[in-house]
Amino acid sequence: LRDRVRFLRRGTVVEVEGFEPRTLLLDHLRLAERSTGTKEGCAEGDCGACTVALGRLRDGRLVYEPVNACILLLGQADGADVVTVEDLATGGALHPVQTAMIDHHGSQCGFCTPGIVMSLWTLHEERSGPVTRDQAVDALAGNLCRCTGYRPIVDAALAASGAEPDGPSPGRERTADALAALADGQDLFMGDDDSFFAAPASLDSLAALCERNPEATLVAGATDVGLWITKGFADLPKIVWLGRVRGLDRLEAGADGLRIGATVSHVRAHAALSSLDPDLGEIMRRFGSAQVRASGTVGGNLANGSPIGDLAPAFIALGATIHLRKGGRERSLPLEDFFIAYRKQDREPGEFVTSVHVPRLRDGEHLRLFKVTKRFDEDISAVMGAFRLTLDGERVTQACIAYGGMAATPKRAALTEHALIGADLADPGTWEPALAALARDFTPLDDMRASAAYRALVARNLLLKALVELGSGDTASTRLVGHREGMPA
Ligand SMILES: Cc1cc2nc3c(=O)[nH]c(=O)nc-3n(C[C@H](O)[C@H](O)[C@H](O)COP(=O)(O)OP(=O)(O)OC[C@H]3O[C@@H](n4cnc5c(N)ncnc54)[C@H](O)[C@@H]3O)c2cc1C
Ligand code: FES
Ligand code: FES
């Protein structure tokens, strides 16, 4: 058993102990370490001013990812190489992304600049060839800048990218070795029975800890929990971080579908989900930002039970199954049955999500996913529509439809599904009963994100859009951006 958190800073192992469990990495960096280059803007994961990079070994390879330090717990840095803006220059020479930001006038007031430099640095470190404009824009989606404007910053990203990656440097190899040495596989428990930060290393240790402390707060990526701390001022005296549990991060692709471990991050799930269907890939690309996708997990998104979370409607439409464990008992249930009422899930105290199984589409089945937000990037859905339709020629023989943002939980549109059976894609008149049934399926949410009337209309139009797309064989011009593979741009 280990009683302190350990991570790498500038090649040296740092050990921290005795901190409040809910301490955030940003506060540690700024207040304890006095590395004040990293800024605090929004303190809710939206602006990117606090971006730092975490390096971890993934299948033996060192991978750096950008994270929002403002909503990341200090304990979550365990086992990582923590890189901040102070660390990029070597021997007085700026890093190429810093030079490019100066050369291209990418900074005015400068408050956003450290975060932007860190996002560009991870892009630079992890690139496998010259950086494209789309890659640069995606990498910057989680960084707000209000005075420079993005054109010079994107220019800097492209200029810094160079022709070819540098390849593994001796520094990276040393870091990889140091991280391998930190991976002790031991349970981490810092604190006492009343207040602790724990990071069990195995499923059995996690199950036992959760049974003993059913009221403890489970934390995966903390992209939701972090805001309870920064915005809700929650105390959270007992924290169990899932990020070190062996096996919980397993991602398996089989003939029948994907089994995604609860702690698989969105960035890791992205490619696998894209292979199931291009619309799933597009949903993942627009999920939060690079920072949110690096920390946030599939299990956290489902367990959080938000009515506007993106994965639940998509996975429900695909007929996914969620797997849970409490002590030695494991159980599974259809994902749609997991959501009982507003923020109330079918999960007992001490029980945790282990994985979700997402089936592949079968012959004749078609998927359409549409996320409607106020901003294209880094925004939570006002409405999310997920449609899995089985077609026999032009005729709908089966329908599985789920929406987010239309009820207190992600929910299937049972009446609509029923009314759609037999509809003819070539004859829009036959769609009417289903479009009318939708109004009876839901009493939409009404809040500052969107009014109930807007949501009802959008939901109807999304169904219409799915039918138009399928009816046209994907030739109808229905999408402004992120067009489906095979569709005209
Ligand atoms: C800036 C920003 C943008 C965002 N954009 C999106 C978006 O586009 N779409 C979207 O859907 N969401 C979005 N979110 C919300 C959030 O990122 C996701 O819900 C994310 O998937 C949560 O995962 P996590 O691992 O960070 O969860 P955490 O914050 O670690 O946990 C969330 C909840 O799940 C519980 N939990 C976590 N893992 C388990 C488990 N294995 N078993 C049981 N309980 C568990 C926790 O106790 C907590 O109640 C955004 C958040 C931010 C801050
Ligand atoms: S301070 Fe804005 S994302 Fe962290
Ligand atoms: S330079 Fe001022 S916010 Fe970006």
Side-chain angles (χ1 to χ4, degrees):
L1 193 73
R2 177 149 60 82
D3 65 356
R4 61 201 61 192
V5 165
R6 298 188 312 194
F7 50 87
L8 275 189
R9 282 291 280 139
R10 298 163 192 150
T12 304
V13 177
V14 176
E15 298 197 346
V16 268
E17 58 184 320
F19 58 86
E20 246 195 282
R22 63 171 185 171
T23 305
L24 297 159
L25 178 61
L26 180 64
D27 290 336
H28 173 79
L29 291 172
R30 289 183 58 84
L31 305 175
E33 196 185 281
R34 304 300 294 163
S35 293
T36 51
T38 310
K39 305 300 180 203
E40 179 170 48
C42 63
E44 59 181 78
D46 268 316
C47 76
C50 64
T51 304
V52 301
L54 294 187
R56 292 193 192 274
L57 292 180
R58 194 148 298 143
D59 298 327
R61 200 176 79 81
L62 178 60
V63 178
Y64 284 97
E65 290 172 340
V67 295
N68 293 126
C70 68
I71 50 170
L72 194 101
L73 299 174
L74 171 58
Q76 289 177 264
D78 192 74
D81 181 28
V82 180
V83 181
T84 66
V85 71
E86 287 90 348
D87 310 334
L88 305 193
T90 41
L94 292 180
H95 187 272
V97 297
Q98 294 172 305
T99 309
M101 282 286 279
I102 295 168
D103 292 347
H104 291 268
H105 307 283
S107 177
Q108 281 191 48
C109 83
F111 198 80
C112 67
T113 307
I116 284 177
V117 163
M118 290 312 298
S119 288
L120 295 185
W121 181 79
T122 46
L123 180 67
H124 191 268
E125 281 290 300
E126 298 302 327
R127 74 204 192 287
S128 54
V131 169
T132 64
R133 190 170 195 285
D134 282 351
Q135 286 170 334
V137 169
D138 271 347
L140 289 166
N143 292 86
L144 298 186
C145 173
R146 283 297 168 263
C147 36
T148 300
Y150 297 98
R151 203 261 306 143
I153 299 171
V154 172
D155 287 349
L158 299 178
S161 99
E164 288 301 322
D166 306 330
S169 67
R172 275 184 83 108
E173 278 169 27
R174 268 197 306 278
T175 304
D177 290 345
L179 289 181
L182 280 185
D184 58 4
Q186 290 189 50
D187 290 342
L188 163 61
F189 188 94
M190 189 204 76
D192 55 33
D193 286 349
D194 299 323
S195 171
F196 60 77
F197 178 90
S202 70
L203 275 163
D204 288 344
S205 301
L206 170 65
L209 190 66
C210 290
E211 276 217 300
R212 278 200 308 279
N213 300 276
E215 74 291 11
T217 305
L218 297 183
V219 171
T223 58
D224 285 310
V225 173
L227 276 75
W228 306 352
I229 298 169
T230 58
K231 300 292 155 171
F233 306 110
D235 197 12
L236 311 186
K238 298 182 178 184
I239 290 181
V240 179
W241 178 44
L242 308 175
R244 296 180 66 246
V245 179
R246 272 189 306 279
L248 211 52
D249 63 347
R250 195 166 296 147
L251 177 56
E252 290 163 328
D256 61 339
L258 295 178
R259 194 181 177 98
I260 309 174
T263 57
V264 171
S265 66
H266 298 307
V267 76
R268 284 186 58 220
H270 189 160
L273 288 171
S274 303
S275 73
L276 288 194
D277 187 88
D279 274 9
L280 270 170
E282 181 60 7
I283 290 297
M284 296 311 285
R285 183 172 82 84
R286 288 181 56 204
F287 194 115
S289 59
Q291 292 91 324
V292 169
R293 292 192 294 274
S295 299
T297 64
V298 170
N301 193 244
L302 300 176
N304 192 41
S306 163
I308 50 172
D310 283 336
L311 296 185
F315 288 2
I316 289 174
L318 280 161
T321 307
I322 192 164
H323 301 274
L324 300 127
R325 174 167 170 180
K326 179 177 179 178
R329 185 176 69 105
E330 297 184 57
R331 68 184 177 110
S332 307
L333 69 159
L335 181 60
E336 63 186 89
D337 296 340
F338 181 61
F339 304 103
I340 300 173
Y342 182 70
R343 299 264 179 189
K344 184 168 163 39
Q345 286 78 256
D346 181 357
R347 188 169 72 82
E348 292 172 25
E351 193 171 36
F352 56 90
V353 178
T354 51
S355 66
V356 61
H357 181 263
V358 186
R360 287 183 196 282
L361 291 170
R362 288 183 290 257
D363 282 349
E365 291 186 338
H366 300 263
L367 187 74
R368 287 297 180 277
L369 301 175
F370 303 121
K371 169 172 173 168
V372 177
T373 53
K374 287 188 176 168
R375 282 190 317 236
F376 180 75
D377 281 314
E378 197 172 22
D379 204 358
I380 306 224
S381 298
V383 178
M384 162 90 171
F387 310 88
R388 175 169 55 106
L389 303 185
T390 314
L391 300 181
D392 180 4
E394 297 281 279
R395 200 160 291 280
V396 178
T397 56
Q398 243 182 321
C400 184
I401 299 176
Y403 280 92
M406 290 294 288
T409 61
K411 192 170 166 276
R412 270 178 80 170
L415 298 174
T416 311
E417 289 175 359
H418 187 68
L420 204 55
I421 292 175
D424 183 351
L425 291 180
D427 177 5
T430 63
W431 309 350
E432 277 311 318
L435 293 166
L438 199 54
R440 297 196 301 278
D441 264 321
F442 294 109
T443 311
L445 300 178
D446 191 292
D447 60 20
M448 62 179 179
R449 211 174 287 283
S451 68
Y454 171 82
R455 286 188 154 110
L457 183 60
V458 164
R460 185 182 195 281
N461 287 343
L462 294 185
L463 173 57
L464 201 54
K465 178 158 146 167
L467 295 170
V468 167
E469 279 194 4
L470 287 168
S472 74
D474 281 334
T475 56
S477 186
T478 45
R479 303 189 187 198
L480 290 177
V481 277
H483 61 91
R484 223 181 126 78
E485 243 169 47
M487 282 179 69

